[in-house]
Amino acid sequence: RREQGRLKASVVEQDTEEWQKDPHFSGLERVGGVDLSYIKGDDSRACASLVVLSYPALEVLYQDCRMVTVSAPYVAGFLAFREVPFLVEAVQRLQQEEPQLQPQVLLVDGNGLLHPRGFGTACHLGVLTDLPCIGVAKNLLQVDGLVRDELHREQVRSLQRSGETFPLTGTSGKVLGMVLRSYNNSSKPLYVSVGHRVSLDTAVRLVKACCRFRVPEPIRQVRHRQQGLPSP
């Protein structure tokens, strides 16, 4: 808990890059996606993956999918300590082997500030790599009074078109993230939150810009490659 609090103090919730301030993201050329996916029936074997796509074409430039052995125990609220070290290693391998392909932003299959202590996987990875990071989750993490009740479902149903959003405001009064309808043909939203070195508005705009389907392409490509791996 102390280590988490120490790292959290380094989170930057504002845009820090020039491309982030441009309405068309001029200057953004590479977007990364990361995820750690467990082998079915085995919570100690997982695939740690990093994919880098060109922007705005969203074509795969680089991929790194490796089987890893996860030894740290699962503790609710501290999942990043179990998973992030493998994602950091993937980023470091890229920096050593293909530094010209380093992503300018990472989309993380998980949460950022939308977390019991405001420091989810996207924040943790962002602070350790010092790369802009965005949390993109498919389900609502119920924290700070946020619940998936009928009111929430009604708000989700009110999102009629791709790009429409509503804020996730906790009982603390803090906006923890944004609910985004990312794709016209899917009524299931995404839950976008700040990870590091990006504002919430920019995070939502970029996630939407990376969506050809419901899930943004960097994360979709990561999952696609993980599904192709054989079981051990």
Side-chain angles (χ1 to χ4, degrees), residues 63-98:
Q63 61 181 7
D64 181 355
C65 302
R66 302 205 181 190
M67 297 306 302
V68 298
T69 300
V70 182
S71 57
Y74 169 75
V75 180
F78 298 94
L79 178 65
F81 286 95
R82 176 174 162 88
E83 299 185 348
V84 163
F86 301 107
L87 303 178
V88 170
E89 287 175 5
V91 171
Q92 290 173 339
R93 280 194 299 270
L94 167 59
Q95 291 170 333
Q96 291 166 4
E97 297 168 8
E98 302 276 0

Side-chain angles (χ1 to χ4, degrees), residues 92-172:
Q92 290 173 339
R93 280 194 299 270
L94 167 59
Q95 291 170 333
Q96 291 166 4
E97 297 168 8
E98 302 276 0
Q100 74 280 7
L101 295 180
Q102 174 167 293
Q104 293 161 276
V105 59
L106 287 172
L107 272 56
V108 180
D109 190 349
N111 292 293
L113 296 180
L114 182 57
H115 177 270
R117 283 172 297 282
F119 194 73
T121 300
C123 297
H124 203 129
L125 182 63
V127 169
L128 292 185
T129 62
D130 200 31
L131 291 173
C133 283
I134 298 169
V136 185
K138 294 182 283 295
N139 298 293
L140 175 64
L141 187 62
Q142 302 190 48
V143 298
D144 194 13
L146 296 173
V147 290
R148 195 173 177 273
D149 56 9
E150 183 54 37
L151 173 59
H152 180 78
R153 287 190 285 268
E154 186 178 315
Q155 288 177 300
V156 168
R157 287 193 292 270
S158 75
L159 303 177
Q160 295 295 310
R161 291 186 301 276
S162 169
E164 293 186 350
T165 63
F166 67 85
L168 287 166
T169 305
T171 53
S172 64

Side-chain angles (χ1 to χ4, degrees), residues 44-61:
S44 67
R45 292 283 290 161
C47 178
S49 303
L50 165 65
V51 172
V52 180
L53 275 60
S54 63
Y55 187 88
L58 301 177
E59 296 173 345
V60 176
L61 303 174

